[in-house]
Amino acid sequence: MGRSDVPGAAARALPTPEYLATRLGELAKRGNIPGASVAVRMGDETVAAATGVLDTETGYPATTESIFQVGSITKVWTATLIMQLVDEGVLDLDAPVRTFLPDFKLLDDAATASVTVRQLLCHTAGFEGDLFEDFGPGDDAVAGLVGHLADHGGRLFAPGEMFSYCNSGYVALGRIVEVLTGQTWEATLRERITVPLGLTRVATGAAEAILHRVAIGHVEGPDGTSVKAPVWQLPRSNAPAGSTLATTATDLVAFAAAHVARGLLPDGTRLLSEASALAMREPQVDVPDIGAVGTAWGLGWNLFDWAGGPVIGHDGGTLGQAAILRVAPESGVSIAILTNGGALGVMYELVREVLASTAGVAMPEPAVPPVDPPVVDARFFVGRYASQVLAMDVVESERGFELTLRTLGTAAKMAGETIRTTELVARDARTLIAVEAKGGQHDQYAFVGDGDRARFVHMTRALPRMAVGEPAAASGAERGDVDSCSGGAR
């Protein structure tokens, strides 16, 4: 199978290992990715390949048996555990979280009482989602982060109002798993997913990962080259959201195959009921049109409405490692790509080729800035938007707009304060797009609101507009009261 065979291919066949290895190597070089692994599964057959090295210092080669961190793809595993508890009749998705976690508390009392398990699953709970405080390596780490929400779980919007990606919500889901099973999230994952699926290369922390051929994360150094990330994993407190789980691309598509089979395993037992497996793919909330994040979110899965689809999936990123999982359930096809640094975005090209040739799915080409940007009302976009962990300033520029993004809080403490300035132009009356591509993709920002000024800017996270002169640290996002922010109602 050659590259020219992919578009419009009539035959539905797995790509060859040689093709995968060649394309993976080409794209890794383009994206400055030290090492990568890919697996493609169709039915019961899997083809895999790897390229590069696991560690730029040692030069240890990446293989198809190497494990990489999968980041937020972990959320689909956590959602699977939650749906197993639904199958067992001990959990109701539409019950308030406090039904199962009596001590659950946010800064906003009304939200505390009303947030449901379903809203956590589909990222509509409306509270601060990027809290990565370290509560140590012990078995109480997840409980520690959930307790931390009482003082730091600031309200972004009313529960159920919109989508905003929320890591902290998945930590709360992991805590529900711990309380209802009486054991840690890691032990439950092993007992209920890893063992039934027969997965042999799964690690839920550094102590397990060291037993495998394990990828080391890499970040961009001062001279633009890849250097080792300062730590191998993020705190255990965020494990259910994706801070620790590592596996191979082959084991990842084996997990996906159980969802393709609607929860049925090869030995006739079930990972999930058919009803729960299908429910996870049902749209729960629309997602702003900003590119690779799809069109809607289900119960754990990101949903993509592509020609020849549907497609479900998730991306993942930790400090220095990143991953892609895409699944075409109707064709029984899944592809996983795992990387240890560089620009993940270049790998979507391989996803596009494989889905076209194996599943007949046409993944859209990435958006690019219009040659002649439309005329828009700049007042709608310009302003400061912030949460506890991100602050964004949008101003007019000679070419269009300039956006300055600054990390705050724990994220800034962990990886160092990041200040990034991006030149933008209007894609349409409600969306700005970066002039320059980053990792093969042009970042996009959707602005939400029906008045003459946007109420939120959306870049998977919804950041509320701040009142003029209001600093991020004193924002409604932290006080649990975004109603005082300027801008019209959504």
Side-chain angles (χ1 to χ4, degrees):
M1 174 182 170
R3 186 175 178 184
S4 61
D5 300 328
V6 175
R12 299 285 179 254
L14 280 169
T16 65
E18 294 77 15
Y19 165 77
L20 287 179
T22 298
R23 291 295 288 132
L24 193 68
E26 292 171 351
L27 295 171
K29 183 177 181 180
R30 188 195 307 173
N32 195 28
I33 295 170
S37 180
V38 60
V40 180
R41 180 162 177 147
M42 177 187 290
D44 296 330
E45 296 183 70
T46 301
V47 176
T51 192
V53 298
L54 299 177
D55 182 336
T56 55
E57 290 186 10
T58 65
Y60 202 51
T63 73
T64 57
E65 296 181 350
S66 301
I67 68 170
F68 293 71
Q69 289 187 37
V70 301
S72 286
I73 295 174
T74 303
K75 291 181 174 68
V76 186
W77 297 52
T78 297
T80 299
L81 295 177
I82 288 290
M83 297 307 290
Q84 288 176 341
L85 296 172
V86 171
D87 286 341
E88 293 166 17
V90 298
L91 182 62
D92 178 356
L93 293 185
D94 295 310
V97 172
R98 294 193 85 175
T99 305
F100 312 103
L101 301 180
D103 295 332
F104 176 78
K105 190 177 188 314
L106 303 170
L107 281 173
D108 181 83
D109 290 340
T112 296
S114 64
V115 168
T116 67
V117 178
R118 184 184 300 274
Q119 289 168 345
L120 297 182
L121 281 169
C122 60
H123 301 281
T124 61
F127 60 88
E128 180 59 66
D130 290 316
L131 302 175
F132 299 107
E133 276 72 13
D134 190 347
F135 288 88
D139 289 350
D140 60 349
V142 171
L145 195 284
V146 173
H148 186 67
L149 294 174
D151 297 318
H152 297 84
R155 170 176 155 171
L156 301 174
F157 50 81
E161 182 179 348
M162 68 173 72
F163 170 87
S164 183
Y165 194 81
C166 186
N167 285 294
S168 304
Y170 267 77
V171 176
L173 289 169
R175 182 58 185 154
I176 291 173
V177 168
E178 292 185 334
V179 168
L180 294 184
T181 63
Q183 55 188 6
T184 65
W185 173 85
E186 292 88 352
T188 307
L189 188 86
R190 187 178 306 111
E191 177 185 286
R192 289 171 169 254
I193 295 181
T194 304
V195 171
L197 288 179
L199 307 181
T200 58
R201 294 181 176 85
V202 176
T204 56
E208 293 177 353
I210 198 64
L211 300 175
H212 302 270
R213 299 176 65 101
V214 58
I216 305 299
H218 296 78
V219 296
E220 186 176 339
D223 60 354
T225 61
S226 292
V227 298
K228 280 186 180 181
V231 297
W232 185 77
Q233 68 178 47
L234 298 174
R236 186 183 177 185
S237 60
N238 266 261
S243 65
T244 62
L245 185 64
T247 188
T248 64
T250 299
D251 275 2
L252 192 51
V253 294
F255 167 79
H259 281 272
V260 169
R262 301 181 178 185
L264 184 66
L265 301 181
D267 64 1
T269 61
R270 282 199 163 272
L271 183 72
L272 286 173
S273 70
E274 181 173 3
S276 286
L278 291 175
M280 290 179 68
R281 309 177 198 172
E282 288 296 315
Q284 303 291 314
V285 60
D286 291 337
V287 177
D289 179 16
I290 50 175
V293 293
T295 54
W297 222 273
L299 301 175
W301 287 112
N302 191 186
L303 311 179
F304 302 84
D305 185 18
W306 294 341
V311 171
I312 59 178
H314 214 293
D315 287 354
T318 61
L319 192 58
Q321 302 197 49
I324 301 169
L325 176 63
R326 294 291 183 271
V327 185
E330 294 180 357
S331 303
V333 172
S334 56
I335 176 172
I337 302 176
L338 311 179
T339 67
N340 64 346
L344 178 70
V346 300
M347 289 298 176
Y348 291 117
E349 191 170 317
L350 181 55
V351 174
R352 181 179 295 106
E353 294 170 6
V354 168
L355 288 181
S357 66
T358 59
V361 170
M363 178 180 172
E365 294 289 333
V368 296
V371 175
D372 294 310
V375 176
V376 296
D377 184 351
R379 294 176 304 167
F380 185 75
F381 303 98
V382 169
R384 162 162 282 206
Y385 305 81
S387 69
Q388 292 165 248
V389 297
L390 288 173
M392 181 185 294
D393 289 291
V394 180
V395 299
E396 285 190 85
S397 67
E398 183 177 340
R399 187 166 178 181
F401 298 87
E402 186 177 88
L403 178 151
T404 301
L405 184 67
R406 180 164 55 97
T407 56
L408 308 170
T410 312
K413 292 176 185 176
M414 266 193 323
E417 184 182 34
T418 299
I419 300 176
R420 188 175 79 237
T421 300
T422 305
E423 188 176 9
L424 308 170
V425 296
R427 196 198 77 189
D428 56 43
R430 292 293 184 267
T431 313
L432 301 182
I433 185 169
V435 173
E436 300 294 333
K438 185 179 68 175
Q441 306 281 316
H442 292 266
D443 290 340
Q444 298 182 72
Y445 303 84
F447 290 74
V448 180
D450 294 329
D452 60 356
R453 287 178 172 81
R455 185 181 168 205
F456 294 89
V457 61
H458 210 300
M459 22 73 81
T460 71
R461 280 80 168 157
L463 301 183
R465 179 188 286 273
M466 298 294 99
V468 175
E470 183 179 12
S475 72
E478 184 164 89
R479 292 193 312 266
D481 176 19
V482 298
D483 294 337
S484 62
C485 298
S486 63
R490 183 176 182 269

